[in-house]
Amino acid sequence: MAAFLQWRKFVFFDKDTVKDPVDNGKDFVLPKGISACDSGRGHISGPWENYREDIWLLTRSLQLTSFQAYKLRVTHLYQLKQHSILVSVGQDEHGINPLVKVWNLDKRDSGNPLCTRIFPAIPGNKPTEVSCLSVHENLNFMAIGFTDGSVVLTKGDITRDRHSKILTLHEGTCPVTGLAFRQVAKVTHLFVATLEKVHCYTLSIKEYPKIELDTHGCALQCSSLADPSQDSQFIVAGDECVYLYQPDERGPCFAFDGHKLLAHWHRGYLFLLIRDVKSPNNSTYSGGLFPSDKQLLTIYDLDNKFIAYSASFDDVIDVVAEWGSFYILTRDGKMFVLQEKDTQTKLEMLFKKNLFVMAINLAKSQHLDSDGLSEIFRQYGDHLYLKGDHDGAIQQYIRTIGKLEPSYVIRKFLDAQRIHNLTAYLQALHRQSLANADHTTLLLNCYTKLKDSSKLEEFIKSSESEVHFDVEIAIKVLRQAGYHSHAVFLAEKHMHHEWYLKIQLEDLKNYQEGLRYIGRLSFEQAESNMKRYGKTLMHHVPEGTTLLLKGLCTNYKPSGDITEKDSLDMSRANSEEFIPIFANNPRELKAFLEHMIKVDPSSPQGVYDTLLELRLQDWAHEQDPERKKVLQGEAVFLLRSDNTVFDKALVLCQMHNFKEGVLYLYEKGKLYQQIMHYHMQNEEYGKVVEACKHYGAQEGCLWEQALGYFARKEEDCKAYISEVLHHIDQNNLMPPLLVVQTLAHNSTATLSVIKDYLINKLQRESQQIEDDERKIRQYREETAHLRSEIQELKMSAKIFQKTKCNMCNSPLELPSVHFLCSHSFHQHCFESYAESEAECPTCTPENRKVMDMLRAQDQKRDLHDHFNRQLRGSNDGFSVVADYFGRGVFNKLTLVTDPPGSKTIGSLDVNLQRDVLIHTKRNS
């Protein structure tokens, strides 16, 4: 129970007298003798004493109109707030016969509001007076209270007789003093207050169940229904207390002493009108307002527990809320207006009295925006800070987060003695996810300064959904402060792999853990981190690092659960890129490279080149002959795999003086002269001769170079010179004069060395000369014989004495055909077999061969490139030139098939060529 004296009193309303709009200098006066009034939909309505049968309507512009509602008098009015509907109770005839009339103020009937319904207000058959009236805003319920304790409920459309039903809802012995409908969601309740009791009916249930809420009631006009801010509770004002009721129970109660004359609830305020304690206490159940009674009007804010206004008035009839203000109507016809001060003015009044808590509550109830509330919290925090209440101040500053710049608060608490308050503020800032990197850094520094490990762990070990800070900044600060375990925890939890590895490997020197962590990452992350930390890991954990690199470059699978399942892949890294990691670990490098070429024969070229270099190094440093032979075989095997780069491999073999590799590569590259020169440099005479034997067919100059090599040697090399000369002689590789000139440089080479060579050469030359002379004589004899035959054909007649046909071998008969080649044919045989009238069918095949040969020679005459190649590549150039002379390269031959009249070019004319051709065929 809240005591009245404990509530602070303010003046949040400005009181003023309503002025006449016609004459601004005078007060506005209503007709005297008002008996009832109500407001809504922009009107204030009521009857007055002199014209009790009329209802007057007052508009906002203070224009007063009236119409006759009853023949005798109007007793009660109820103006709906959401509809232009006015319900009145009055009498048209003498006696106890109250009538209810429903008026539609928007429609007119002869200039007056339209009356849509009239029905008698009598509970059953008992005539009794109406004491109170209430209408539901949905126009489906109307409740009428009577002095005999009865309540009549009209259910249905209250504006029509046809669609409504009237029933007696409540019966009792005490007059009904208050009625109120409560609508929450789809549930409708009706509160009924009498002088002795308070009841509640549930109208949304068919049986209309009733609950008795209290055993004491109130006087007329001393009950009201609160708005939703007070949960739509029913307010009953007794002489000692004001009670609030829920539909099923009594709620809170406030000890407001004094005889209550009026109780209203308007826009969040409770209006109570009580008799002044200095006035005589004369009243009846109806409130009995007597002239000269002093009344005290008090406006309460039940939410914030203060009095918003209090003033004394004379003979108040009612308090109504309309046009954004509150109007007080007195019996003498005066109107007073109470205009509420704006929220900012109220707050400033509270600030002057340092009533910040009350200001906050007021701002919330007035639905002040967050910016306005934040400013109140700031001022409250500043007030507490100046008083030295730093704990209370920081709590207010925390409530400004999101509106007030954090630096405003942080600067106030940077003192070391206030670090606890600063920590609390920074924690709240992070909880609301409004902290930046600097705030995170400052908070972590506060934890470390306080050495509060529990708070630090609580901060960093929050669940994933509650992380309100920049994780990377937190890791940096923790690492700098030396809290490596906390930094590692954050990095691992939030998958900051680079920071985790940096701390483990650079700060904690935990290389094994770093290697294990890399093995749990996805392929891309593992690859990049191995490139960054590979050398360090190889230096400290070479075996594990090598094993991880083998997997990374072949068939990598993360070993842990850091990566999502969808990111698992079968990627392979480029093994060549990791070779520099093994700079100081040749043994691990060799194992790595051998694993790569075994698992993946298509490894990059650098893998094979590096492995070859390692194997050659091992071969060069090995002292054990058997082991050296094995290493030699391994190196040669790698060279034979055709995966090494020729130039690089050759340089490596030459650097390590690896003879077998050098010779293999020379042979592979067809560098036969280099092979022989290699043997010459090592003075391996037998190998020089063997090289000439093996590769002399591909490159004939090797024998010449070998002869020159042995000729420059002053040692006794007669056996080798003889063997070389033998091959030169057999293949006619050098002219004898050049051989003699070459051997002339050797002082040990005597004539005996070349004797056999020269004798054989001269003998073959002599034999060749004899063969040539014999052929010359033969060709001359044949030529002379041909010339004589040609001359004979030209100069003497030819006698044809053939008796048989050369085609059918039958005796010749006229007509017949004879050719100079001595072949004769029947004409019909000739015509059947001859291809041309000018050619002998028997000689045609042979003649065609000769002609084809001549054409071939003529075509080959223009093959200059082919001639030059043969001339350069032949050991005997003269023979090549002679051969081309014989083909007629240097002559233009005119064939017998040339058209008549063509010019004769060359030494043979057309007739001579034909005679030669005929003679050749005939002799054949």
Side-chain angles (χ1 to χ4, degrees):
M1 180 179 293
F4 169 72
L5 295 178
Q6 295 176 348
W7 288 35
R8 286 184 172 270
K9 184 177 180 180
F10 301 98
V11 182
F12 285 165
F13 290 86
D14 293 325
K15 175 187 172 184
D16 199 1
T17 304
V18 179
K19 300 298 182 180
D20 193 333
V22 179
D23 189 354
N24 293 331
K26 294 183 179 180
D27 296 339
F28 180 77
V29 179
L30 288 171
K32 296 183 179 181
I34 298 174
S35 58
C37 67
D38 203 353
S39 65
R41 300 293 291 180
H43 295 89
I44 297 178
S45 56
W48 56 81
E49 184 176 0
N50 294 336
Y51 300 93
R52 291 181 295 174
E53 69 278 7
D54 292 347
I55 297 177
W56 54 263
L57 298 174
L58 183 66
T59 63
R60 185 168 189 173
S61 59
L62 300 182
Q63 292 181 355
L64 191 66
T65 61
S66 64
F67 65 94
Q68 184 176 356
Y70 293 89
K71 295 179 179 179
L72 292 182
R73 62 174 181 164
V74 181
T75 59
H76 296 82
L77 291 177
Y78 191 93
Q79 172 71 57
L80 274 76
K81 305 299 185 290
Q82 300 177 12
H83 304 276
S84 294
I85 300 296
L86 176 66
V87 180
S88 63
V89 179
Q91 292 179 343
D92 280 342
E93 57 187 25
H94 295 282
I96 304 175
N97 188 18
L99 288 177
V100 177
K101 294 186 180 182
V102 181
W103 306 90
N104 189 335
L105 301 181
D106 290 339
K107 295 182 179 181
R108 294 290 169 174
D109 181 13
S110 301
N112 296 327
L114 177 63
C115 180
T116 62
R117 184 182 181 187
I118 302 174
F119 65 92
I122 298 176
N125 295 322
K126 299 182 294 183
T128 181
E129 295 287 347
V130 175
S131 59
C132 56
L133 172 69
S134 181
V135 182
H136 199 295
E137 289 293 335
N138 63 10
L139 301 179
N140 286 328
F141 293 103
M142 179 193 300
I144 306 171
F146 296 90
T147 57
D148 67 349
S150 300
V151 175
V152 171
L153 178 67
T154 299
K155 182 179 180 183
D157 189 353
I158 65 168
T159 62
R160 299 180 182 179
D161 292 324
R162 183 176 179 183
H163 300 288
S164 64
K165 179 181 179 181
I166 301 176
L167 57 92
T168 301
L169 180 68
H170 178 78
E171 292 182 349
T173 58
C174 293
V176 177
T177 57
L179 295 170
F181 288 100
R182 181 182 188 266
Q183 183 72 44
V184 177
K186 295 183 179 181
V187 181
T188 305
H189 295 93
L190 174 63
F191 290 100
V192 178
T194 66
L195 287 175
E196 296 181 352
K197 293 183 180 180
V198 178
H199 296 89
C200 179
Y201 288 86
T202 304
L203 302 183
S204 54
I205 299 178
K206 188 175 182 180
E207 292 77 11
Y208 305 142
K210 179 181 69 172
I211 297 178
E212 184 178 313
L213 300 177
D214 215 334
T215 57
H216 54 79
C218 63
L220 283 173
Q221 294 186 308
C222 291
S223 63
S224 182
L225 188 72
D227 57 27
S229 65
Q230 286 292 330
D231 199 18
S232 300
Q233 298 182 91
F234 187 56
I235 300 173
V236 174
D239 288 343
E240 296 180 355
C241 298
V242 173
Y243 302 92
L244 277 67
Y245 296 94
Q246 294 282 354
D248 54 352
E249 63 180 354
R250 192 178 80 177
C253 119
F254 300 89
F256 298 148
D257 198 7
H259 179 68
K260 310 301 186 299
L261 303 176
L262 185 70
H264 279 316
W265 183 274
H266 293 304
R267 294 203 296 270
Y269 291 109
L270 174 62
F271 289 74
L272 289 182
L273 185 67
I274 63 175
R275 187 183 299 278
D276 196 331
V277 293
K278 298 179 181 179
S279 300
N281 189 11
N282 299 322
S283 67
T284 63
Y285 77 91
S286 60
L289 300 178
F290 294 100
S292 73
D293 281 346
K294 282 288 184 181
Q295 298 148 1
L296 183 65
L297 178 64
T298 307
I299 303 176
Y300 296 93
D301 187 332
L302 298 185
D303 283 336
N304 302 309
K305 306 295 187 295
F306 64 81
I307 297 173
Y309 183 77
S310 182
S312 179
F313 293 89
D314 293 329
D315 296 336
V316 174
I317 296 299
D318 206 346
V319 179
V320 295
E322 195 64 39
W323 309 317
S325 302
F326 302 108
Y327 291 89
I328 303 169
L329 282 69
T330 61
R331 188 174 296 278
D332 57 3
K334 292 183 179 180
M335 286 183 65
F336 299 95
V337 60
L338 295 179
Q339 293 183 342
E340 188 175 5
K341 298 179 185 294
D342 60 87
T343 303
Q344 191 59 39
T345 304
K346 296 179 187 178
L347 294 177
E348 290 176 358
M349 295 172 64
L350 295 175
F351 292 157
K352 291 179 181 179
K353 297 182 179 181
N354 293 328
L355 299 175
F356 293 98
V357 176
M358 189 171 291
I360 292 170
N361 294 332
L362 176 64
K364 289 181 178 179
S365 64
Q366 297 288 330
H367 304 290
L368 195 65
D369 60 12
S370 55
D371 292 334
L373 283 172
S374 177
E375 177 61 23
I376 300 174
F377 295 140
R378 183 195 66 78
Q379 294 187 36
Y380 192 16
D382 292 345
H383 171 71
L384 296 176
Y385 183 84
L386 293 175
K387 289 176 60 178
D389 184 4
H390 298 126
D391 293 339
I394 205 65
Q395 294 303 317
Q396 298 306 317
Y397 287 135
I398 287 174
R399 301 170 78 176
T400 66
I401 292 176
K403 299 297 180 181
L404 181 64
E405 175 61 36
S407 59
Y408 177 86
V409 180
I410 293 173
R411 285 196 300 267
K412 293 178 177 290
F413 294 91
L414 284 177
D415 194 313
Q417 296 180 352
R418 301 168 188 169
I419 193 170
H420 291 87
N421 302 123
L422 179 60
T423 303
Y425 180 78
L426 293 172
Q427 284 177 336
L429 199 64
H430 281 80
R431 280 194 298 269
Q432 298 188 32
S433 300
L434 295 174
N436 58 26
D438 294 332
H439 300 149
T440 301
T441 302
L442 186 57
L443 177 59
L444 292 173
N445 284 328
C446 288
Y447 285 141
T448 56
K449 292 290 184 182
L450 294 172
K451 300 187 183 301
D452 194 345
S453 298
S454 60
K455 283 287 186 181
L456 182 59
E457 290 185 5
E458 180 183 352
F459 177 74
I460 68 173
K461 292 184 179 180
S462 58
S463 63
E464 188 71 25
S465 59
E466 297 177 356
V467 175
H468 306 291
F469 58 89
D470 189 321
V471 176
E472 187 171 0
I473 294 297
I475 294 173
K476 289 181 181 179
V477 175
L478 291 171
R479 184 190 181 203
Q480 186 176 5
Y483 286 81
H484 295 113
S485 60
H486 296 77
V488 165
F489 171 81
L490 271 183
E492 183 175 12
K493 178 180 178 182
H494 298 283
M495 301 179 70
H496 286 264
H497 310 308
E498 294 183 3
W499 282 107
Y500 182 89
L501 293 172
K502 187 185 291 290
I503 297 171
Q504 288 283 17
L505 300 179
E506 297 179 9
D507 300 333
L508 301 178
K509 310 297 182 183
N510 194 348
Y511 304 105
Q512 191 66 41
E513 176 60 26
L515 185 64
R516 179 197 64 81
Y517 189 84
I518 293 177
R520 298 170 57 196
L521 300 177
S522 65
F523 169 77
E524 292 80 5
Q525 294 167 341
E527 182 185 25
S528 62
N529 282 290
M530 282 305 296
K531 289 179 180 178
R532 179 178 299 178
Y533 299 108
K535 287 186 178 180
T536 303
L537 294 172
M538 182 61 67
H539 178 70
H540 295 89
V541 279
E543 294 182 0
T545 306
T546 304
L547 184 62
L548 179 57
L549 286 175
K550 287 180 180 179
L552 195 63
C553 297
T554 53
N555 189 8
Y556 179 72
K557 294 181 181 179
S559 60
D561 54 355
I562 286 183
T563 352
E564 295 82 0
K565 293 182 179 179
D566 295 339
S567 65
L568 296 179
D569 48 40
M570 306 296 286
S571 303
R572 292 185 179 184
N574 187 353
S575 53
E576 188 175 3
E577 297 178 354
F578 293 99
I579 292 177
I581 291 176
F582 297 87
N584 299 319
N585 300 78
R587 182 172 62 87
E588 285 76 14
L589 176 59
K590 185 177 180 182
F592 170 71
L593 297 177
E594 288 178 345
H595 173 78
M596 289 306 304
I597 64 173
K598 180 180 178 181
V599 176
D600 183 15
S602 61
S603 295
Q605 196 67 51
V607 173
Y608 286 93
D609 294 337
T610 308
L611 181 59
L612 175 63
E613 183 178 3
L614 292 174
R615 288 184 175 180
L616 291 177
Q617 288 178 356
D618 293 344
W619 173 85
H621 294 89
E622 184 60 50
Q623 301 298 327
D624 186 2
E626 294 184 0
R627 177 62 183 162
K628 195 176 186 73
K629 187 175 182 180
V630 173
L631 293 174
Q632 175 181 321
E634 292 179 353
V636 173
F637 174 78
L638 195 59
L639 290 173
R640 294 183 184 277
S641 65
D642 295 331
N643 287 306
T644 55
V645 178
F646 179 83
D647 296 337
K648 292 182 180 179
L650 183 59
V651 171
L652 291 174
C653 291
Q654 290 173 343
M655 287 174 55
H656 296 87
N657 197 21
F658 186 55
K659 177 181 178 180
E660 288 74 8
V662 172
L663 294 177
Y664 169 76
L665 292 173
Y666 281 159
E667 183 177 4
K668 178 181 178 182
K670 297 182 180 181
L671 303 176
Y672 306 124
Q673 294 189 35
Q674 280 79 354
I675 295 176
M676 193 173 67
H677 289 163
Y678 183 83
H679 293 311
M680 290 177 179
Q681 290 175 0
N682 295 319
E683 297 185 349
E684 297 174 339
Y685 303 146
K687 295 291 182 67
V688 172
V689 176
E690 290 181 4
C692 291
K693 290 179 180 180
H694 285 130
Y695 313 116
Q698 289 86 354
E699 198 161 351
C701 65
L702 294 181
W703 290 105
E704 299 177 18
Q705 295 177 7
L707 182 63
Y709 171 72
F710 288 121
R712 289 190 297 270
K713 290 295 181 182
E714 296 299 326
E715 293 88 354
D716 188 5
C717 299
K718 294 180 180 179
Y720 298 109
I721 294 175
S722 298
E723 187 174 1
V724 172
L725 285 174
H726 175 71
H727 284 281
I728 292 175
D729 185 24
Q730 283 184 344
N731 298 291
N732 194 20
L733 299 177
M734 294 177 64
L737 182 59
L738 183 59
V739 172
V740 173
Q741 290 176 350
T742 302
L743 292 176
H745 297 288
N746 192 327
S747 60
T748 61
T750 60
L751 188 58
S752 60
V753 176
I754 202 173
K755 176 182 177 181
D756 295 337
Y757 166 75
L758 292 177
I759 293 173
N760 292 333
K761 192 69 175 177
L762 291 173
Q763 288 177 350
R764 284 196 299 274
E765 295 263 345
S766 299
Q767 185 66 35
Q768 184 68 33
I769 291 172
E770 292 177 359
D771 294 340
D772 292 341
E773 288 178 348
R774 185 175 62 254
K775 289 182 180 179
I776 290 171
R777 288 193 299 271
Q778 180 183 350
Y779 292 154
R780 284 177 177 175
E781 291 175 357
E782 292 179 355
T783 303
H785 179 69
L786 287 172
R787 288 181 182 276
S788 63
E789 286 188 0
I790 293 170
Q791 187 65 25
E792 183 180 355
L793 289 172
K794 287 182 176 181
M795 303 304 295
S796 60
K798 179 71 173 177
I799 301 174
F800 300 102
Q801 297 179 346
K802 285 282 187 177
T803 59
K804 292 184 178 181
C805 177
N806 287 94
M807 191 65 67
C808 64
N809 205 23
S810 298
L812 285 173
E813 296 177 357
L814 294 177
S816 61
V817 179
H818 302 275
F819 286 90
L820 291 177
C821 59
S822 300
H823 293 142
S824 301
F825 306 94
H826 292 111
Q827 185 175 358
H828 61 84
C829 290
F830 175 75
E831 292 176 353
S832 300
Y833 292 99
E835 297 180 4
S836 175
E837 294 180 357
E839 291 185 279
C840 173
T842 303
C843 298
T844 295
E846 291 298 329
N847 290 341
R848 188 164 294 169
K849 291 181 181 180
V850 175
M851 296 302 293
D852 291 340
M853 292 174 60
L854 291 173
R855 288 191 182 93
Q857 288 183 357
D858 186 55
Q859 292 175 358
K860 292 181 179 179
R861 286 184 301 126
D862 295 331
L863 301 178
H864 304 296
D865 293 339
H866 183 66
F867 168 73
N868 290 330
R869 284 197 301 271
Q870 281 190 329
L871 187 61
R872 287 194 300 268
S874 174
N875 294 325
D876 189 0
F878 182 78
S879 300
V880 176
V881 175
D883 179 54
Y884 272 81
F885 263 108
R887 296 180 185 180
V889 171
F890 305 103
N891 295 322
K892 175 70 168 67
L893 292 180
T894 304
L895 302 180
V896 295
T897 57
D898 289 346
S902 63
K903 295 182 179 180
T904 302
I905 301 176
S907 60
L908 297 177
D909 58 10
V910 175
N911 295 328
L912 180 59
Q913 293 181 27
R914 184 183 295 110
D915 293 341
V916 172
L917 185 59
I918 294 174
H919 177 74
T920 303
K921 299 306 178 183
R922 186 177 62 184
N923 289 340
S924 61

